[in-house]
Amino acid sequence: MSVYDLHAHSLCSDGTLTPAELVARAHAQGVRTLALTDHDTVAGIGAAGAAAATLGLELVPGVEISVHWETVTLHIVGLYIDPANATLQDGLAELLESRRQRALEIGARLAQCGVPDALAGAAAYGAGPSISRTHFARYLIETGCARDVQTAFKYYLGKGKPAYVPGNWATLAQALAWIDAARGFAVIAHPARYRLGNRKLNRLLGEFKALGGAGVEVVSGSHSREETTRFAALAVRYGLLASVGSDYHGPAVKLWAELGRLSPLPAVCTPVWQAWETARPSRALA
Ligand code: AMP
Ligand code: MN
Ligand code: MN
Ligand code: MN
């Protein structure tokens, strides 16, 4: 159990709870500090912050930015961002537009696979501005084309499958510049999920650190105990802070962990929240 959970999604992207419902559930699970980190949007932060204030929960404004780096898609979480920052908002607006274009193309590809009307079907699962492959996966399940989300990715939506359309994502340098402009802290989300070889992983960590990256998600709902230990050592070696996040998507989504249901950070790590807990007094004066 961790009282910090710094990675979670709402209906504004591919989560299934409203921001207020997400905050209420986090509070009920014993989380005291929650970051809302929707894919490429900050649309839910106002509502989440209002709900958190009534419960006495600390809401860390966040975002999970989609990045294309070398040959892979990476997710960079921005924590403690100013959601009103214009540089960040302009960057995210481009990503959301590219998501809309990509969704049109995914719909067309699925039609060729014999699944008509998938764009409208997928859109019905999202209330927010950030449409993703997860929404298409839910429609594929609804129409009986896939048994579960994993199967939808395996046969239709995953890389190299018939309805796969690459996103026109940000560069690593852009994502870090937007987060920095919004005075936030950049964290590499769920690093084990990219399945990078050692050389490539070290290149990523070196580049990320050189660009001003702050931390790595050492404890993730999708990490095994061994992966957590491995990334704790890497964070220390690269002088990066360590984050903790479930990557929660909703009660019906059996992907990763429940909110707050996370192991503690290994003792060798410096927690990422120290960054804003020490920065806070100077910000209040700014
Ligand atoms: P997108 O950002 O539109 O490419 O969609 C990526 C999202 O789909 C991720 O944030 C996950 O929530 C989900 N996802 C990706 N791969 C899988 C998978 N193999 N099984 C289930 N969900 C996945
Ligand atoms: Mn997601
Ligand atoms: Mn992610
Ligand atoms: Mn996520």
Side-chain angles (χ1 to χ4, degrees):
M1 174 67 209
S2 169
V3 295
Y4 288 87
D5 191 335
L6 303 177
H7 189 152
H9 296 273
S10 79
L11 257 182
C12 291
S13 65
D14 60 351
T16 61
L17 299 179
T18 65
E21 288 166 346
L22 179 77
V23 165
R25 188 179 178 101
H27 184 257
Q29 294 289 338
V31 172
R32 292 289 163 260
T33 301
L34 174 75
L36 176 62
T37 56
D38 275 313
H39 296 287
D40 306 318
T41 181
V42 294
I45 288 173
T54 67
L55 293 168
L57 181 143
E58 182 185 27
L59 193 278
V60 173
V63 64
E64 184 174 14
I65 301 180
S66 309
V67 163
H68 187 73
W69 178 79
E70 294 197 352
T71 59
V72 291
T73 298
L74 301 176
H75 288 172
I76 301 295
V77 163
L79 295 174
Y80 215 75
I81 48 162
D82 170 9
N85 177 265
T87 303
L88 176 67
Q89 287 196 348
D90 291 351
L92 297 181
E94 273 182 47
L95 293 186
L96 291 177
E97 178 53 29
S98 119
R99 278 189 177 276
R100 282 187 283 273
Q101 297 299 327
R102 171 184 181 240
L104 285 172
E105 176 113 357
I106 293 175
R109 298 268 184 109
L110 284 172
Q112 286 170 2
C113 298
V115 187
D117 305 320
L119 179 59
Y125 284 97
S130 183
I131 184 157
S132 78
R133 286 184 290 166
T134 319
H135 300 110
F136 284 95
R138 291 185 188 136
Y139 183 68
L140 287 166
I141 297 166
E142 176 192 319
T143 52
C145 298
R147 196 171 57 237
D148 50 31
V149 178
Q150 277 85 346
T151 316
F153 276 83
K154 185 169 171 196
Y155 292 106
Y156 295 97
L157 301 165
K159 194 168 183 180
K161 306 301 169 177
Y164 177 74
V165 181
N168 189 17
W169 305 138
T171 65
L172 187 61
Q174 282 175 322
L176 268 64
W178 301 342
I179 292 167
D180 185 58
R183 304 175 73 192
F185 302 94
V187 167
I188 301 176
H190 43 65
R193 266 184 15 221
Y194 312 123
R195 306 269 162 240
L196 302 177
N198 267 330
R199 287 166 68 99
K200 205 163 176 177
L201 178 60
N202 280 291
R203 209 156 57 232
L204 170 63
L205 291 167
E207 244 180 71
F208 178 75
K209 175 76 180 174
L211 287 167
V216 174
E217 222 170 61
V218 168
V219 172
S220 161
S222 64
H223 279 180
S224 67
R225 192 182 294 267
E226 293 72 28
E227 287 166 341
T228 293
T229 305
R230 175 171 179 233
F231 282 98
L234 283 166
V236 172
R237 191 195 307 165
Y238 281 89
L240 291 163
L241 303 170
S243 190
V244 173
S246 60
D247 202 3
Y248 186 73
H249 281 70
V253 186
K254 301 273 178 287
L255 265 181
W256 329 119
E258 176 57 76
L259 286 161
R261 194 84 45 87
L262 295 160
S263 54
L265 272 179
V268 291
C269 294
T270 306
V272 69
W273 48 89
Q274 282 194 3
W276 62 80
E277 288 177 358
T278 51
R280 190 179 280 142
S282 60
R283 282 190 193 193
L285 293 172

